[in-house]
Amino acid sequence: MAIANMKAHRLGWIGIGRMGYEMARLLAKAGCDLSVWNRTRSKAEPLEKDGARVVGSLSDLAACDIVFTMVATGKDVKEVLFGPAGVMSTGKAPKVVIDSTSISIEESAEIRAKLAQSGVSSSRLPFPAMPR
């Protein structure tokens, strides 16, 4: 999806680690409508200078069209999406969730099934297995 197309959507970003920060920064600098949340708010605040909005709660991202997650574990993905203070906690839901967390296929399938129950689109990219 080209950046021009991304500008037509309200984007949410969860997880401002090394990789997440740079990816969110590129979207913000490109002029995308981007709201970000991070467990440690101060790590997300520098993105404001690039045009991102730092939100105070995960549920603030429920009104986004697309929400990206880039957190540490499958348990974290479940918490930020479905936990008592998660994105879905108010009954609202984004249209699409794109998870970029390195989790098991089973956890990914479980999360996608739960999102589908709320009418949210999601998918797992079909990467080939890496040789060992």
Side-chain angles (χ1 to χ4, degrees):
M1 185 177 287
I3 287 288
N5 292 339
M6 295 300 282
K7 288 181 182 181
H9 302 285
R10 293 168 297 165
L11 308 177
W13 194 279
I14 302 169
I16 306 297
R18 282 186 205 154
M19 196 162 45
Y21 181 90
E22 289 302 319
M23 293 173 78
R25 185 178 70 83
L26 289 172
L27 290 169
K29 285 182 85 165
C32 293
D33 181 356
L34 181 68
S35 297
V36 298
W37 181 91
N38 195 65
R39 179 177 45 211
T40 306
R41 183 184 175 99
S42 62
K43 291 182 179 181
E45 289 173 344
L47 292 169
E48 291 176 316
K49 74 180 181 335
D50 295 314
R53 279 181 309 284
V54 178
V55 297
S57 68
L58 289 161
S59 62
D60 292 337
L61 301 177
C64 292
D65 299 311
I66 303 168
V67 171
F68 296 85
T69 58
M70 188 172 285
V71 295
T73 68
K75 180 180 175 187
D76 294 330
V77 176
K78 293 173 192 175
E79 184 65 25
V80 299
L81 293 176
F82 310 117
V87 173
M88 314 279 283
S89 64
T90 63
K92 295 180 189 171
K95 295 176 185 172
V96 176
V97 170
I98 301 172
D99 178 44
S100 300
T101 306
S102 296
I103 60 176
S104 72
I105 292 172
E106 295 79 15
E107 284 178 304
S108 178
E110 176 188 343
I111 291 165
R112 285 183 283 119
K114 194 164 183 175
L115 287 167
Q117 290 173 354
S118 297
V120 179
S121 295
S122 63
S123 64
R124 184 182 72 79
L125 296 175
F127 292 113
M130 298 297 290
R132 295 192 172 193

